[in-house]
Amino acid sequence: TGLTAAMPGVLLGDVFPNFEADTTIGKIQFHDFLGDSWGILFSHPRDFTPVCTTELGRAAKLSGEFARRSVKMIALSIDSVQDHLAWSKDIVAYNGEAPDSTLPFPIIADEKRELAVQLGMLDPDEKDKDGIPLTARCVFVIGPDKKLKLSILYPATTGRNFDEILRTVDSLQLTAQKRVATPVDWKLGDSCMVLPNIPEDEAAKLFPAGVYTKDLPSGKKYLRYTPQP
């Protein structure tokens, strides 16, 4: 349709494009790269830039946390593989690691910005020296079914919070398995909300640890909590 042509990008629930790309570990097909894992793809405006360097450093430090959650990480930036490999050395040094260390995830080269356009990643307000829009800071979390489960879009000037990204993965993985939602500021181990479409008698069976309903002025029984199942 005309609408999708005018609005590139991937919407929640869409199957994520199975693109082919050159990366720091060679050519990949995205779905093959993910295998049966969850995936996280995060994009960067440009190599050798300060905010991106801090982000990739933090992502590398958290790689064990993502691996523990069966999440494969991959980054994207609009420069070449050669630039990515040279930049990786700076990121390793920023992290205070040995010079021969490598990043625990690949970086996609998107020199023609084809993927950035296809995935709706461009930041119209931030342009490079040639006046071409830079890539925004996107976070895409993809489920084992290859569907987009979460997307967060930051402008090029705002660095991400990777603790928040891990928290969202915990929520996505829990709520994919259990019929609960996670409330504001939820963290692993906190109480969860019972979904509104579950009748009271079914909720009692589903959540043997108990369901607590908060009394509200409206008299409606929709604020129902249960210990994390």
Side-chain angles (χ1 to χ4, degrees), residues 16-17 20 39-40 58 73 80 87 98-99 114 122 143 156 165 185-186 192 196 202 212 228:
F16 207 84
E20 186 174 89
I40 180 165
R58 177 78 174 132
M73 310 167 75
S80 67
W87 181 32
E114 284 167 1
L122 292 180
I165 293 166
D185 296 338
W186 173 89
C192 298
E202 191 184 347
Y212 161 72
Q228 180 183 312

Side-chain angles (χ1 to χ4, degrees), residues 88-90 92-93 96-102:
S88 297
K89 291 183 167 57
D90 288 359
V92 164
E97 288 164 14
D100 58 350
S101 303
T102 54

Side-chain angles (χ1 to χ4, degrees), residues 132-219:
I132 296 170
L134 290 174
T135 313
R137 296 177 192 282
C138 298
V139 178
F140 294 124
V141 179
I142 299 120
D145 57 4
K146 308 295 183 285
K147 290 181 179 173
L148 180 64
K149 302 300 182 186
L150 173 134
S151 84
I152 314 176
L153 181 57
Y154 298 73
T157 45
T158 298
R160 284 163 279 213
N161 179 332
F162 273 82
D163 293 323
E164 165 62 4
I165 293 166
L166 275 177
R167 189 192 76 85
T168 63
V169 168
D170 286 336
S171 171
L172 290 167
Q173 293 186 338
L174 173 69
T175 57
Q177 300 296 328
K178 306 289 183 185
R179 291 173 65 190
V180 291
T182 57
V184 65
D185 296 338
W186 173 89
K187 293 187 297 300
L188 212 51
D190 290 354
S191 288
C192 298
M193 318 290 302
V194 178
L195 297 177
N197 61 359
I198 300 175
E200 260 177 74
D201 52 344
E202 191 184 347
K205 290 196 199 79
L206 267 180
F207 305 110
V211 175
Y212 161 72
T213 306
K214 186 164 175 59
D215 287 328
L216 298 167
S218 67

Side-chain angles (χ1 to χ4, degrees), residues 41-59 74-79 84 87 91 103 105-108 110 113 116 121-123 133-139 154-156 158-160 162:
L41 189 158
F42 46 103
S43 62
H44 296 273
R46 194 175 261 307
D47 292 7
F48 304 106
T49 51
V51 177
C52 300
T53 301
T54 65
E55 288 187 321
L56 284 174
R58 177 78 174 132
I74 190 164
L76 176 147
S77 184
I78 57 177
D79 294 302
H84 290 350
W87 181 32
I91 297 159
L103 289 180
F105 47 80
I107 308 176
I108 296 165
D110 189 27
R113 293 172 169 76
M121 289 179 167
L122 292 180
D123 181 345
L134 290 174
T135 313
R137 296 177 192 282
C138 298
V139 178
Y154 298 73
T158 298
R160 284 163 279 213
F162 273 82

